[in-house]
Amino acid sequence: MGETGERVLLGNRRLFATGNLDEAREQVSRVFCPHRLEPAGDPARPAVCFNSAQLGSVRLSYLDYGAGVRIEPGELESFFLVQIPLAGRSLIRCGGQEIVSTPRLASLPSPTEYLDMRWEAGCPQLIVKFERRAVEGALEHLLGERLDRPVVFGLGMDMTTGWARAWRAMADLIVGEAEHGDGLAAQPLAVAHLENAMLSSLLTMQPSNYLARLAAPRTPAVPKVVRRAMEFIEAHAHEPLTTDDVARAVAVSGRSLQEGFRRHLGLTPMGHLRDVRLSRVHEELAAGDPARCTVTGVAARWGFLHQGRFAALYRTRYGQSPSLTLRGR
């Protein structure tokens, strides 16, 4: 446990611990970017703890300075951050925006805006880092067009809203898997699914200078394009697909493809992908050897992470539990 009583996250992914702020600045800069770091009027001695793990293209970090500090990176340039205090408060200024960040209000600084922060003592944070090119690429595919200006998010991310709680649950799932070291790290489909869900949620739910354009109506894809998309999904279901991947393959925007699936099939492209993967799981279980094959292993290989939800989906579709299928009943 940390000094605040909060659990120290990613304890098995320790990068360093030190009481020296110069050393801390140098080490943290290697993961993020060069920055100014200095005490912020707090007599407490620094006790810096930095744990960090990379899964796919997402990096999750636990950072606690153990004392009040001022952190001034300036423009982040190449990455976005979601910073979630686990306790305490921090003052975040980014561009023309300013918030007091707490466990109920995370901060989301944008890389083209000047960032200056003051973390109070007792304010460890969970930090989720996304590469700028991944965020902008996902947004371009959702829009079906190139960006005409940098993405700037609203600085405050309200963690009490339903979508943000679900987003935090996905981040916590990745943290838990990184702490165990033998789960999602070996399942690229599952990692990609979570990354894409987290990015899509940020882009479609968090206020930004592109949110109104994302919400504007789009012309739906025609039935022929939807059929081609279905064929592509069925041929590539073993890969870490996203809606944008499928849209790119059939030369339409992600929004148009989603609207086409909704209008003609009554589900989303990822809903169809889930159905295809569920049928592949069924095929593997029906042909599997119970002595060598496990339901959990097969489900995870096809991107089903939550065993309870997976079992419910499977029972609804096949009328029995996956374990009964595996045992040949």
Side-chain angles (χ1 to χ4, degrees), residues 220-236:
V222 298
K224 182 168 67 173
V225 174
V226 172
R227 285 196 298 272
R228 284 170 43 215
M230 293 172 66
E231 292 168 359
F232 180 83
I233 287 171
E234 288 157 11
H236 297 268

Side-chain angles (χ1 to χ4, degrees), residues 274-294:
R274 181 199 62 199
D275 290 345
V276 171
R277 287 177 174 167
L278 196 63
S279 68
R280 302 291 167 82
V281 171
H282 176 71
E283 292 167 6
E284 283 198 30
L285 293 178
D289 178 356
R292 301 184 179 185
C293 177
T294 68

